[in-house]
């Protein structure tokens, strides 16, 4: 009684690179940055296969804070 499932690869690819996906990821990344505090920023780009969002430090103080306290990891887990 199993039914055959065919994945629409072109549709999935379009979804992963869509503006809506970028907006969703940026929204989630901004929440993480808010929890982490000052000195963190996000960047977004659309790669070959999907939309990518990264969160990084933008000051020495934030670098030290993240190294000492794992701030980004903790903000991600909340």
């Amino acid at each position: 009684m199993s039914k055959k499932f065919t994945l629409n690869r072109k549709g999935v690819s379009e979804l992963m690179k869509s503006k809506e996906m970028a907006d969703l990821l940026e929204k989630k990344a901004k929440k993480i940055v808010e929890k982490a505090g000052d000195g963190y920023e996000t960047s977004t780009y659309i790669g070959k296969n999907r939309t990518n969002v990264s969160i990084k430090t933008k000051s020495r103080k934030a670098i030290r804070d993240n190294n000492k306290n794992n701030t980004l990891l903790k903000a991600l887990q909340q």
Side-chain angles (χ1 to χ4, degrees):
M1 283 226 160
S2 66
K3 295 184 179 185
K4 184 151 180 143
F5 175 79
T6 305
L7 183 65
N8 181 346
R9 293 184 184 274
K10 185 177 179 183
V12 171
S13 177
E14 288 174 7
L15 175 66
M16 295 298 287
K17 296 183 206 177
S18 69
K19 176 70 174 143
E20 291 82 8
M21 182 62 73
D23 291 343
L24 175 71
L25 294 173
E26 286 175 357
K27 184 178 176 183
K28 296 232 179 225
K30 286 181 182 179
K31 286 183 181 181
I32 293 168
V33 168
E34 287 174 5
K35 290 178 186 177
D38 293 334
Y40 299 91
E41 64 184 357
T42 64
S43 63
T44 305
Y45 69 95
I46 298 176
K48 181 179 176 184
N49 298 317
R50 66 183 61 94
T51 302
N52 299 279
V53 177
S54 62
I55 303 170
K56 57 187 175 182
T57 57
K58 64 178 182 179
S59 69
R60 289 186 188 267
K61 182 178 178 184
I63 292 170
R64 285 191 301 270
D65 176 53
N66 190 52
N67 288 340
K68 183 177 179 182
N69 303 312
N70 289 321
T71 305
L72 287 177
L73 183 61
K74 289 178 182 176
L76 182 63
Q77 292 174 349
Q78 292 179 352

